[in-house]
Structure formats: structure tokens, C-alpha cells
Amino acid sequence: MAFAHRRYGSARHISRTAGTLAALTMGASLLVAPQAFAASSPTNAELLKACNWASLCKFHPQSYWGYTGPKHQVGSTAYNCGSNTNQHRIDWSDTTTAGNTVGVSVSATYKFSLVFEASVETSYSHSWENSHTDTESNTINISPRSVGWLERGTSKEQAKGWWEIQFKNKYYDHYVWYIYDFQQSGFNKDNPSYGYVNFKDRPMTPAEIGAHC
């Protein structure tokens, strides 16, 4: 009696199966690897906040400059619906707060803020103010059928440098960490000439006349 020989999987099929398993294994490792890497180092924000308890938190200033901040409206908008030029008083208050490239809020609760302020004042003989509020009243002349407002550019200052932060015990597996290219801005009370307040007006649009007159 003749027996039919049973066909088993070919070597090519076995090789293809092994390759698929290897690819799946490699794919799984690629999914895990970025997560493991992300947990191996702190963010710059975490490092700045760690200044509160680090054994050394030092800012090394590299440059300082004053400038005028972006223009923005302060106070309300005034409309003159009459046929004569009118005077209008605009009361306004404008607060300038400090900001940095790391995005951590600048406040007395964070030690790095005090360290930064002292370092800049010592290096450049410029006082540093993290928050400043100006409150004024200005009277503007508004032409007939026109809208008027106040436009302000704030006097600001900025310093750039790098941070050195040391720990008594390893922090994310290191005793020392650095933050480079750090910049922080604030109100420049030493050079008020960088700031301005302009009186602005323009003709009202038909929509504005309909809404306000």
C-alpha cells in the first residue's frame, strides 16, 4: 500500500514567521524606549523649582539689555459722536509681570526668582522688578465722528545666562544639572525712556457710528 507523504512547512515559511516575531519584538521595544528616556532627566521647569531645596542654585549672567515692549491698548475706548473736537479723560492701569523662556511663574515662592534678581543686580548694577503696576489718567482730544484710545509700550529689561544647580543627593541620577540659554524679562524702572503712551484716534466706521451714536 502506498502512503502519501505529509507536507510540512517549508524553511522559507519558518524564516518568515521568525522575522515577523522579531519585528513585533523590536516594535514593542521602540514603544517602550522613549518613555524610559523621558523619565531619565528632569525638565528645565522641574530644575528651577528644585532650586528651593538644592544645595546650590546659581545663575551666571551673560548679557543684559533694555527695550520697549510690544504696543498695546490701555484704558477704555472713547467715541465722539459730535461735530466738534471733544476732550475725554481715560483712566487706566497696566501691570507688567516678569516672564522667562522656561515658562515657570516668577514669584517669591520660588527661590530661583530671588537668585536671578540678585545676580543681575550685582553684575549689571540694574535693579530688577518682577511685577510693576502703573496707574494714570490722560486726557485726549478726539476729532468729530472719531474713536480715541491710548496706546502704550512698556519699558522693559531682559537678561540672559545659564543656571548651575547642585544636589547633595543624586537628582535624576546626577549631582549637578545645567540650564543653558535662559532668558527672563521684567519691568525696567531704571530706564523709563524706553516706555511711551501715545494718544490715538481714527474716524469711526459705519458700524461703530450705528452702535455708539
Side-chain angles (χ1 to χ4, degrees), residues 66-68 153-156 187-197:
Y67 66 103
T68 303
T154 310
S155 177
K156 301 191 73 175
F187 178 77
N188 191 343
K189 65 180 180 181
D190 292 337
N191 292 292
S193 60
Y194 282 114
Y196 66 85
V197 176

Side-chain angles (χ1 to χ4, degrees), residues 83-138:
S83 56
N84 298 314
T85 297
N86 286 339
Q87 289 189 333
H88 186 91
R89 192 182 84 171
I90 297 179
D91 301 323
W92 59 271
S93 180
D94 192 31
T95 299
T96 304
T97 57
N100 54 60
T101 51
V102 174
V104 178
S105 62
V106 180
S107 67
T109 58
Y110 292 130
K111 179 182 176 181
F112 86 88
S113 178
L114 299 176
V115 172
F116 175 88
E117 182 179 332
S119 298
V120 172
E121 290 181 353
T122 300
S123 299
Y124 302 107
S125 299
H126 281 287
S127 59
W128 191 272
E129 194 166 355
N130 289 321
S131 181
H132 179 87
T133 300
D134 285 309
T135 301
E136 292 185 16
S137 294
N138 297 103

Side-chain angles (χ1 to χ4, degrees), residues 38-210:
S40 65
S41 61
T43 64
N44 287 339
E46 289 175 325
L47 285 171
L48 284 186
K49 293 176 181 179
C51 278
N52 282 14
W53 49 270
S55 58
L56 174 69
C57 181
K58 186 175 183 180
F59 180 68
H60 301 268
Q62 293 176 300
S63 58
Y64 169 93
W65 64 97
Y67 66 103
T68 303
K71 64 182 180 181
H72 57 285
Q73 181 178 342
V74 291
S76 60
T77 302
Y79 299 88
N80 180 9
C81 295
S83 56
N84 298 314
T85 297
N86 286 339
Q87 289 189 333
H88 186 91
R89 192 182 84 171
I90 297 179
D91 301 323
W92 59 271
S93 180
D94 192 31
T95 299
T96 304
T97 57
N100 54 60
T101 51
V102 174
V104 178
S105 62
V106 180
S107 67
T109 58
Y110 292 130
K111 179 182 176 181
F112 86 88
S113 178
L114 299 176
V115 172
F116 175 88
E117 182 179 332
S119 298
V120 172
E121 290 181 353
T122 300
S123 299
Y124 302 107
S125 299
H126 281 287
S127 59
W128 191 272
E129 194 166 355
N130 289 321
S131 181
H132 179 87
T133 300
D134 285 309
T135 301
E136 292 185 16
S137 294
N138 297 103
T139 300
I140 63 174
N141 295 319
I142 306 176
S143 302
R145 293 281 173 160
S146 295
V147 55
W149 71 97
L150 296 175
E151 184 179 87
R152 187 186 191 207
T154 310
S155 177
K156 301 191 73 175
E157 60 185 345
Q158 190 151 175
K160 180 180 180 180
W162 56 279
W163 286 92
E164 177 185 3
I165 306 171
Q166 298 181 12
F167 300 92
K168 183 177 180 180
N169 300 311
K170 283 187 177 182
Y171 184 58
Y172 282 85
D173 207 34
H174 289 280
Y175 289 106
V176 184
W177 287 94
Y178 303 96
I179 301 175
Y180 297 104
D181 297 324
F182 177 89
Q183 291 188 151
Q184 184 160 303
S185 63
F187 178 77
N188 191 343
K189 65 180 180 181
D190 292 337
N191 292 292
S193 60
Y194 282 114
Y196 66 85
V197 176
N198 286 340
F199 297 178
K200 308 287 288 186
D201 72 329
R202 59 168 175 78
M204 283 191 283
T205 65
E208 288 172 331
I209 293 174

